[in-house]
Amino acid sequence: MRAFSYHRPDSVDAALRGVAGQSGTTTEAAVKFVAGGTNLLDLMKADVMRPERLVDISRLGLDRIEETADGGLRLGALARNADTAHDERVQARYPMLSKAILAGASAQLRNMATNGGNLLQRTRCYYFYDTGTPCNKREPGTGCGALTGVNRIHAILGASDRCIAVHPSDMCVALAALEAVVRVSGPRGERTIPFADFHRLPGDTPHIDSNLAADELITAIDLPAEGFADHSTYLKVRDRASYAFALVSVAAALEMDGQTVRTARLALGGVAHKPWRDPAAEAELAGRPASLESFRKAARVLLRDARGQSHNAFKIGLAERAIVRALAEAAGVEHP
Ligand code: SF4
């Protein structure tokens, strides 16, 4: 691990002063915030990320989970993943989110990892972690080892010829389906980022993961009042029963009118560089009977542009089956 300086401020303003003057996005920044450190420190030890300075934000007090005026919940950026998943209000009103968080990592990691950090964790592409191989995300312009290498865990949607990595989070998939809002503080004041606009697709700049600026701090994540508690689920398909990243995951949330779907939200994990939503697939479900046939049609719409790499074409069929199963579970429809 390379030498770095360390600073532990005790207020948001002091933390922001610690990263002041940096331009670009947080992924490119030389000065980084650290809280749980469950991903950043691994990346530093592997020499994949080389920050010159760490600003430890663990004592800023942003760890509360509070009611919002519009009937939603505000998840503090520094609330631990485990505390969030086990919060009674989250469990009762946003069970899909609780389930998604508990599907991720291990109990030890969830006890350390924070909500803000979960959004900023980086891909688990093997080549990204292996500094002896080319990787446009780690070293822009060097190439993509996964395109011609082992790409079983990689993207089937939204990839580019520069990068086919996927976002590793489970929590973010549920947050995308819930249409959460990310609250951010910076030198230009406070702003909110709709969850769909927080992460980026790789395009020509795969080294940039999100639209968070280098001098900004995530302070909270707001959940809207509608939590789809009656008809939602999170389904994760992975190689092992625990402590494995998703090959495919599905957050499915429905508003039902008897046996008819009134509105639907579908977000997929493990398939793209960001949690994947598709308005056309959700529109396909609206007003349809809650049946396996409708769910299959919606899955096919969502996957119409899916493209497999040399080792991961199996994900397309897997995703279709996972979507149907998750929707059936959310709707209470029997699934073979
Ligand atoms: Fe790097 Fe992305 Fe290619 Fe993986 S898929 S090697 S992260 S450029």
Side-chain angles (χ1 to χ4, degrees):
M1 186 188 270
R2 294 175 194 239
F4 59 92
S5 64
Y6 174 83
H7 172 58
R8 191 168 63 199
D10 55 10
S11 71
V12 169
D13 284 348
L16 290 174
R17 283 196 295 277
V19 296
Q22 300 195 110
S23 56
T25 64
T26 189
T27 334
E28 304 158 290
V31 184
K32 299 248 179 239
F33 292 125
V34 65
T38 53
N39 187 213
L40 177 60
L41 296 185
D42 282 350
L43 289 163
M44 289 171 65
K45 285 185 261 185
D47 204 29
V48 173
M49 289 178 74
R50 302 163 185 170
E52 293 162 12
R53 181 173 163 83
L54 290 186
V55 177
D56 183 343
I57 55 172
S58 57
R59 300 200 178 173
L60 300 189
L62 300 169
D63 58 352
R64 286 182 290 279
I65 297 176
E66 300 168 310
E67 300 287 340
T68 59
D70 64 0
L73 271 188
R74 178 160 299 159
L75 311 176
L78 295 174
R80 305 285 169 175
N81 285 178
D83 292 335
T84 305
H86 293 298
D87 183 279
E88 284 179 6
R89 294 160 296 179
V90 174
Q91 287 182 324
R93 288 152 54 184
Y94 307 93
M96 173 174 65
L97 176 62
S98 178
K99 199 171 175 187
I101 296 172
L102 293 175
S106 65
Q108 293 91 335
L109 285 166
R110 293 192 296 268
N111 284 339
M112 279 303 291
T114 62
N115 291 334
N118 194 305
L119 271 55
L120 298 176
Q121 64 177 303
R122 308 208 66 193
T123 185
R124 272 24 179 227
C125 171
Y126 328 114
Y127 302 96
F128 178 63
Y129 278 78
D130 182 349
T131 56
T133 61
C135 172
N136 287 325
K137 185 179 279 298
R138 178 171 27 80
E139 300 283 351
T142 57
C144 171
L147 269 173
T148 51
V150 178
N151 47 42
R152 183 171 177 276
I153 64 171
H154 289 76
I156 54 171
L157 287 162
S160 75
D161 58 4
R162 305 282 174 91
C163 179
I164 55 171
V166 298
H167 195 267
S169 170
D170 292 292
M171 180 182 188
C172 290
V173 182
L175 290 174
L178 288 167
E179 297 186 350
V181 171
V182 185
R183 300 183 72 85
V184 159
S185 277
R188 296 162 295 283
E190 297 196 348
R191 67 175 179 126
T192 55
I193 309 174
F195 207 81
D197 299 333
F198 187 82
H199 296 103
R200 298 164 59 124
L201 290 176
D204 292 337
T205 53
H207 60 293
I208 304 175
D209 292 344
S210 78
N211 289 313
L212 185 68
D215 55 2
E216 289 181 318
L217 172 71
I218 300 174
T219 55
I221 301 155
D222 281 357
L223 304 179
E226 177 56 79
F228 299 93
D230 293 337
H231 295 290
S232 62
T233 194
Y234 183 73
L235 175 68
K236 179 173 181 176
V237 184
R238 49 186 157 177
D239 282 327
R240 292 189 304 265
S242 72
Y243 198 29
F245 293 95
L247 290 167
V248 171
S249 69
V250 184
L254 302 171
E255 270 186 316
M256 301 284 292
D257 203 349
Q259 286 310 301
T260 302
V261 175
R262 195 181 310 144
T263 60
R265 303 259 184 94
L266 263 180
L268 263 64
V271 298
H273 201 256
K274 61 186 284 187
W276 190 264
R277 279 191 63 191
D278 184 338
E282 295 175 11
E284 174 67 33
L285 285 162
R288 303 276 185 200
S291 67
L292 297 181
E293 192 191 337
S294 314
F295 301 157
R296 268 187 215 108
K297 270 190 194 160
R300 283 177 194 144
V301 170
L302 190 146
L303 293 163
R304 64 196 178 282
D305 296 324
R307 187 173 144 251
Q309 304 295 329
S310 45
H311 301 122
N312 73 349
F314 75 95
K315 276 192 177 187
I316 300 172
L318 186 65
E320 182 177 329
R321 294 190 295 278
I323 291 167
V324 172
R325 187 176 197 102
L327 285 168
E329 216 174 291
V333 169
E334 204 168 317
H335 187 274

